[in-house]
Amino acid sequence: MTATKSVPDDGVAPLPTPERLGRTFPTDVNATATAQEWLDLLEVRAKDTDPSSVADLFIADGWWRDRAALTWDYRTFRGQEALRRATQATFASTKPCNFKLAAAPLPMIEAPYPDLTYVQAHFTFETKAGLCTGVVNLVAAKEGFRAWTLSTILEGLKDFPEVGREDGHISSTDTWQGTRDKKAAFEDTDPEVVIVGAGHNGLCLAARLQALGVKVLIVEANKRVGDNWRNRYEALSLHFPVWQDHLPYIPFPKSWPIYTPAGKIGNWLDSYADSLDLNVWTCSKVSSATFDDERWNITVTRAGQPDRKLKSRHFVVATGLAGTPRIPTILGSDTFSGIIRHSSVHDSAKSFKGKRILVVGTSSSGFDAALDAARNGVDVTMLQRSPSYVMRCPDVGSRVKRVWGLDKEGELNGVWKDMGVDGLWVMVGTFGWARFHSKVVANQIKAMLEGVAGKRYTA
């Protein structure tokens, strides 16, 4: 058994070096054989009457991060005590089995530093309800190879795979577009999921849910999908390269620019929603949303149409965390003869040629505005009042958790996970985050709708 040393409580996570482990990494290690041996032990321990023995397969201060595969939540555990509690509860209830090395990538030996070497292995496994993947990093301890870090992810549901293609032939007196319009209208039925916001987060989740056969509606305030990008300043481009910005099911073509201009990404989102037949109500806003312990009662205000009252099992907020402009009161602004403009209404620096401007704030839009000014020959200065600020969103109810910030395990408080109220979710983040986390969230929602989701581990 692995020695149960205490985990440092100073916030420092020391690396598993040979000095700390008391053993040098062997020179004759076969990565595949080593990984297979560890997985075989995991298979046996997982079926044990006391699955907490899985913790013995970790070093004393090993880590396990789970994304809904076994905890039905986003959780991180460190150290023998936390690992024993978590594995005992979650392995007993979810019944993980069929641990197999992935076909690719094959297990490999990684040595990023002279005093840090480990075997990294990717694998697949199943639970009662889910199809899952994992990645483990194994280090050489006195007792044998043990897990330094383990990551497990819910990838799909065993009994509810994604739906296939529709035939496409007209099989009734109605046209394809007529049928689409009726589905999107939800005149005779309610959506199972209502998503507020047709940005990339809302669209990714809707695409994933629809692929699982879930009835989903997106409510969007703008006139067109993508206007949240089209209506910004002309110099705006994505700050992350195209390789990590792909959306589910429809990747960008190879000719796509590395850093996508805002107007172009807006048009892509519009075409994405249309190509995947996503149900989007534009020029619409959610005017009220209440929860009655079973369903969400949602009122949607639509331009030029009567309000619609919907009942939905799940309610997703995908409007972003910085959509409302915050315009501070500045002493002397009422007598200032120049222009004071918030970035939300800024279009271009071209009109400032020959002038001097001050950009207050050094986040993304601040740097974009300053760079645009410099390119146009404007004398520009940036002002940062204090060290970088991490925004916190206020609670919106006594049961609702905080959205942003980290919990004691280092996980985000409320994004992509339990928000404290049944059926309430928050989707926010980059394009890459949206693509990845939309799958995990969609599978959880589908599992809940079908009654196969396990109980969230809350200890």
Side-chain angles (χ1 to χ4, degrees):
M1 292 180 64
T2 300
T4 56
K5 298 178 182 178
S6 60
V7 177
D9 59 3
D10 56 3
V12 177
L15 296 176
T17 61
E19 181 181 2
R20 292 190 62 243
L21 297 174
R23 181 186 178 189
T24 302
F25 195 91
T27 58
D28 58 348
V29 171
N30 181 305
T32 298
T34 299
Q36 186 61 62
E37 181 180 357
W38 189 87
L39 279 185
D40 290 344
L41 289 172
L42 180 60
E43 183 89 38
V44 172
R45 299 292 178 89
K47 297 176 181 177
D48 200 312
T49 54
D50 179 15
S52 67
S53 63
V54 168
D56 296 335
L57 302 180
F58 289 76
I59 60 174
D61 58 345
W63 298 77
W64 171 32
R65 188 181 192 191
D66 182 64
R67 296 179 182 90
L70 296 148
T71 63
W72 290 98
D73 204 347
Y74 279 41
R75 298 293 302 272
T76 296
F77 310 100
R78 180 191 179 194
Q80 287 287 308
E81 184 178 348
L83 288 169
R84 287 186 183 282
R85 288 198 306 266
T87 54
Q88 183 175 39
T90 61
F91 277 57
S93 62
T94 60
K95 308 295 183 185
C97 61
N98 295 332
F99 292 89
K100 298 178 180 179
L101 288 175
L106 295 174
M108 63 187 73
I109 297 175
E110 299 281 2
Y113 305 107
D115 60 347
L116 177 62
T117 307
Y118 53 88
V119 172
Q120 183 174 96
H122 295 245
F123 61 93
T124 62
F125 66 100
E126 300 177 12
T127 63
K128 285 196 302 184
L131 301 171
C132 311
T133 60
V135 181
V136 64
N137 290 321
L138 302 171
V139 293
K142 289 181 179 180
E143 304 81 11
F145 277 89
R146 295 293 183 262
W148 167 33
T149 65
L150 172 66
S151 173
T152 49
I153 302 170
L154 176 65
E155 299 282 359
L157 301 174
K158 293 166 71 171
D159 296 329
F160 302 97
E162 292 187 344
V163 297
R165 302 173 186 268
E166 291 188 40
D167 181 273
H169 284 100
I170 303 301
S171 57
S172 66
T173 57
D174 206 348
T175 63
W176 172 270
Q177 188 59 52
T179 302
R180 276 288 306 124
D181 291 343
K182 288 180 180 178
K183 287 182 178 179
F186 287 98
E187 292 180 351
D188 302 320
T189 186
D190 284 312
E192 295 170 293
V193 180
V194 172
I195 300 174
V196 185
H200 55 279
N201 279 282
L203 294 175
C204 284
L205 182 58
R208 299 280 195 190
L209 288 167
Q210 189 160 289
L212 289 169
V214 176
K215 294 182 293 184
V216 55
L217 169 66
I218 307 176
V219 178
E220 169 59 41
N222 287 310
K223 292 182 179 180
R224 292 175 60 196
V225 173
D227 276 351
N228 57 319
W229 290 95
R230 295 188 194 93
N231 296 339
R232 299 299 303 279
Y233 47 92
E234 64 180 34
L236 177 60
S237 293
L238 296 187
H239 287 198
F240 291 95
V242 62
W243 303 287
Q244 70 175 68
D245 291 337
H246 296 290
L247 303 186
Y249 312 117
I250 307 179
F252 294 115
K254 291 183 178 180
S255 60
W256 200 260
I258 295 176
Y259 297 99
T260 311
K264 189 173 183 67
I265 198 64
N267 292 340
W268 179 265
L269 295 179
D270 198 5
S271 67
Y272 183 84
D274 182 65
S275 297
L276 293 181
D277 292 330
L278 303 182
N279 303 316
V280 184
W281 289 358
T282 55
C283 298
S284 303
K285 295 183 179 181
V286 171
S287 55
S288 69
T290 59
F291 184 66
D292 61 8
D293 291 328
E294 290 186 1
R295 293 183 183 275
W296 285 88
N297 301 294
I298 302 166
T299 301
V300 180
T301 300
R302 307 184 67 186
Q305 301 186 45
D307 289 358
R308 284 289 304 276
K309 296 186 180 299
L310 305 170
K311 292 183 179 295
S312 176
R313 291 277 300 279
H314 293 266
F315 182 59
V316 183
V317 179
T319 56
L321 288 178
T324 302
R326 181 178 180 275
I327 305 176
T329 300
I330 301 175
L331 183 64
S333 61
D334 55 337
T335 59
F336 180 63
S337 60
I339 297 173
I340 299 177
R341 178 187 295 172
H342 191 272
S343 62
S344 61
V345 296
H346 176 63
D347 52 0
S348 171
K350 294 175 182 176
S351 60
F352 295 115
K353 285 185 177 181
K355 300 179 181 180
R356 299 170 61 192
I357 68 171
L358 175 68
V359 177
V360 180
T362 55
S363 192
S364 300
S365 56
F367 274 107
D368 283 345
L371 179 59
D372 182 37
R375 285 172 174 167
N376 282 281
V378 178
D379 183 353
V380 57
T381 300
M382 297 188 74
L383 174 64
Q384 179 167 311
R385 180 183 61 181
S386 58
S388 297
Y389 174 68
V390 179
M391 184 179 70
R392 296 180 178 179
C393 290
D395 293 345
V396 294
S398 59
R399 295 169 58 189
V400 176
K401 295 180 180 179
R402 289 171 53 196
V403 175
W404 216 233
L406 302 180
D407 62 20
K408 63 181 181 180
E409 295 175 356
E411 297 287 352
L412 290 170
N413 278 306
V415 183
W416 317 306
K417 55 189 290 190
D418 174 34
M419 279 294 297
V421 176
D422 289 345
L424 177 62
W425 305 83
V426 172
M427 290 290 297
V428 69
T430 66
F431 278 69
W433 288 2
R435 182 185 66 253
F436 174 84
H437 295 288
S438 61
K439 177 190 279 192
V440 183
V441 173
N443 280 316
Q444 289 183 83
I445 290 176
K446 178 65 174 179
M448 293 174 183
L449 290 172
E450 299 295 344
V452 299
K455 185 178 180 181
R456 283 194 180 105
Y457 177 67
T458 58

